[in-house]
Amino acid sequence: MTCPPKPQSRKVPQIWNPLPYFDTVKDDDQLDNIQDYSNFYETARTGTLPAVSWVVPNGHDSEHPPGLVSDGQAYVTSLINAVMQGPDWDSTAIFLSWDDWGGFYDHVVPPKVDENGYGLRVPGLVISPYAKQGYIDPQTLSFDAYLKLIEDLFLDGQRIDPQTDGRPDTRPDVRENATQLGDLLEDFDFSQPPRPPLILPPSGVQPPVNLPSSGVPVRVTKDKLYTVQPGDTLSGIAERFGTSVEIIAQSNSIEDPNFIFVGQTLYISVGSVPSSATSSIQALPSTGGSSATAPFSGGPSQGNPAQLYAVQLWDTLSQIAERFSPSVEAIARVNSLEDPNFILVGQTLYVPGNFVRQLP
């Protein structure tokens, strides 16, 4: 038996919103600190982010089945873009992590800490103007390391000790003080020049630039990010930038073009469709269907129609190339794919034409 999904409220405790369960949060009058994530975009834009924010997705964007990984990618990218575009970027550290290991096999036995132990390894990324370039941290780290860093920086190293905190607390020890736990400050180099923002399209489409090791774009296109303003509609935004509602919706993984919110960051492929044209772009299934074309903004200005195609489960680049007639090399080149063997489900590809082969 399953229950239909319902709107998530910030005041209702649930698996994606655990803080209202916490007696400490209620006792300390901190329930109002739990806010809708749309407020995060606004505070990022205005430079009024709190010292620490913990952003948790809902089920749809969580990358848990049956949710799409591409939806989670778009959600996370839009949050990071908002910070990078705001005035707080030069003093920000973003820690991106997952709460489980996705069911993949892990050959490393977790280190023993106490009777609770550590679990299987999960991914973790550090995104900051001062993050070390290309650095893989060899330390033993856990979610305790995030608490340790916050407590060290903002609470002068204070810990909540189950022996002295005066509240029911079944923890056997203070995990932030575990001798094998590393220090996340090792991931930063505060002597380096701050790294500039790198804004990515939230749809998973490859950014239309070639990126050197510094992460700084070396080729600029007219594509841009736009923050939704009060009174905006998707059709109005599309008309303003000379594109179509369908292309914006597809590039940003928007299921309902009638639903956008103030502060939302949209990736706009500028000039994809003349403002006077009526677009026929559609979400294209991997099994074929009618062709929909649009000029590729990163290619020659004339005579180069391109198909927008969303990568489906089990797709390979060679299969996509065979389906639409261009070569693997041509698709890789226009999408700046360094490794043609690596594409993502939900990734939007520009497929160059003219198209010769028709699907049955």
Side-chain angles (χ1 to χ4, degrees):
M1 183 179 70
T2 59
C3 299
K6 294 185 177 181
Q8 177 177 331
S9 169
R10 65 181 179 88
K11 294 185 178 181
V12 177
Q14 54 169 294
I15 184 174
W16 304 114
N17 189 26
L19 287 178
Y21 279 120
F22 285 37
D23 290 336
T24 51
V25 172
K26 291 182 283 190
D27 294 344
D28 294 340
D29 296 322
Q30 294 177 324
L31 286 172
D32 286 340
N33 291 349
I34 307 170
Q35 300 186 15
D36 188 274
Y37 83 105
S38 61
N39 291 348
F40 182 87
Y41 293 99
E42 177 62 19
T43 54
R45 184 185 66 83
T46 58
T48 55
L49 285 168
V52 177
S53 298
W54 179 32
V55 188
V56 184
N58 57 25
H60 177 272
D61 295 324
S62 70
E63 301 185 16
H64 287 73
L68 297 176
V69 171
S70 56
D71 287 338
Q73 291 172 336
Y75 162 80
V76 170
T77 303
S78 70
L79 291 168
I80 296 173
N81 283 345
V83 175
M84 287 188 170
Q85 291 177 293
D88 288 335
W89 165 243
D90 61 358
S91 60
T92 292
I94 300 171
F95 298 95
L96 173 60
S97 188
W98 286 257
D99 67 350
D100 63 46
W101 73 104
F104 293 101
Y105 176 75
D106 189 351
H107 68 285
V108 176
V109 177
K112 183 174 177 58
V113 183
D114 52 30
E115 63 190 55
N116 294 322
Y118 286 152
L120 297 181
R121 293 181 297 177
V122 296
L125 301 175
V126 179
I127 304 167
S128 172
Y130 299 100
K132 292 180 180 178
Q133 178 73 38
Y135 180 68
I136 299 176
D137 194 331
Q139 302 179 97
T140 297
L141 296 166
S142 74
F143 285 91
D144 304 313
Y146 300 131
L147 295 179
K148 177 181 177 179
L149 181 68
I150 293 168
E151 291 165 351
D152 288 350
L153 293 180
F154 300 104
L155 298 175
D156 295 324
Q158 296 181 63
R159 309 283 189 244
I160 299 178
D161 190 331
Q163 303 301 318
T164 60
D165 67 4
R167 310 189 201 207
D169 191 337
T170 59
R171 293 178 301 150
D173 49 33
V174 180
R175 291 283 289 265
E176 300 96 300
N177 292 337
T179 56
Q180 62 265 63
L181 182 65
D183 186 349
L184 283 170
L185 282 177
E186 293 296 319
D187 295 350
F188 299 89
D189 179 2
F190 295 106
S191 66
Q192 70 183 23
R195 187 174 293 110
L198 176 60
I199 308 300
L200 299 178
S203 67
V205 64
Q206 295 292 319
V209 295
N210 295 319
L211 299 177
S213 59
S214 65
V216 180
V218 297
R219 178 168 61 87
V220 179
T221 72
K222 292 182 179 179
D223 294 355
K224 67 172 295 181
L225 286 140
Y226 175 77
T227 302
V228 176
Q229 304 297 314
D232 272 344
T233 64
L234 211 57
S235 59
I237 297 170
E239 182 177 0
R240 187 177 315 153
F241 291 104
T243 184
S244 72
V245 169
E246 291 83 359
I247 287 181
I248 298 178
Q250 185 180 46
S251 297
N252 294 275
S253 302
I254 297 175
E255 295 181 0
D256 184 354
N258 296 312
F259 180 73
I260 56 176
F261 55 86
V262 174
Q264 183 176 1
T265 302
L266 299 176
Y267 174 70
I268 310 292
S269 184
V270 179
S272 296
V273 174
S275 58
S276 60
T278 300
S279 171
S280 60
I281 296 292
Q282 299 175 358
L284 301 173
S286 62
T287 53
S290 59
S291 294
T293 63
F296 172 52
S297 62
S301 58
Q302 296 179 355
N304 186 30
Q307 177 119 341
L308 288 174
Y309 177 77
V311 176
Q312 306 296 307
L313 189 64
W314 311 122
D315 270 346
T316 66
L317 208 59
S318 59
Q319 291 172 337
I320 297 170
E322 182 179 0
R323 189 175 304 149
F324 294 108
S325 287
S327 66
V328 169
E329 292 75 13
I331 299 176
R333 183 173 60 254
V334 299
N335 291 278
S336 301
L337 300 179
E338 294 183 1
D339 184 354
N341 296 313
F342 182 72
I343 55 176
L344 302 172
V345 174
Q347 181 176 352
T348 303
L349 297 176
Y350 293 99
V351 183
N354 299 311
F355 304 117
V356 177
R357 181 169 302 164
Q358 296 294 323
L359 296 173

